[in-house]
Amino acid sequence: MNNSLENVKVGDYIYVSNGMTSGIECVERITATLVITKCRRFSKKNGLSRCSDTWSRWTARPATQEDIAEQLHKKYVRQCENIDFKKLSNEQLEQILSIANNEN
């Protein structure tokens, strides 16, 4: 996939990854050569992060709707991991099981 960030604008979302983790970041600022998010700076030309630490090298590309949906799904899964199921009623647990088992 093309990692060029030449056509992104402020407010666009970009998919960022370092090979071990990934996420979606919003473009906050653009200069002649850089795309800047809240956490990182990327080259417009090739999407590589502009940092001195080669161990934390990030890449970026314009985010697709699929990228955004995948990251949202990961967020929901993480939030579900924190549910204290012991506090839920039997009816609530039955509803969860019905949804999880694809029952109507």
Side-chain angles (χ1 to χ4, degrees):
M1 177 167 276
N2 182 6
N3 283 358
S4 174
L5 299 175
E6 295 286 343
N7 296 320
V8 297
K9 300 178 287 299
V10 171
D12 285 354
Y13 292 100
I14 57 175
Y15 175 85
V16 299
S17 174
N18 69 357
M20 295 183 68
T21 188
S22 61
I24 302 293
E25 295 184 12
C26 184
V27 175
E28 290 191 348
R29 216 172 89 207
I30 295 182
T31 69
T33 59
L34 297 174
V35 171
I36 303 168
T37 69
K38 184 176 182 178
C39 301
R40 291 171 252 292
R41 298 167 178 251
F42 297 95
S43 166
K44 284 174 93 174
K45 185 175 181 179
N46 59 19
L48 294 176
S49 64
R50 307 295 284 192
C51 65
S52 59
D53 183 3
T54 57
W55 291 104
S56 63
R57 182 60 64 137
W58 289 78
T59 60
R61 60 174 169 75
T64 64
Q65 289 301 318
E66 292 81 16
D67 294 330
I68 294 169
E70 177 186 337
Q71 293 300 318
L72 186 59
H73 185 266
K74 287 180 181 180
K75 175 185 172 185
Y76 290 154
V77 168
R78 282 191 308 273
Q79 288 176 337
C80 288
E81 291 171 349
N82 297 325
I83 295 173
D84 185 358
F85 290 101
K86 292 179 183 179
K87 292 183 178 180
L88 300 178
S89 70
N90 286 345
E91 292 167 353
Q92 291 171 318
L93 291 169
E94 286 174 1
Q95 290 174 348
I96 291 169
L97 288 170
S98 175
I99 293 167
N101 293 327
N102 242 353
E103 298 173 2
N104 291 326

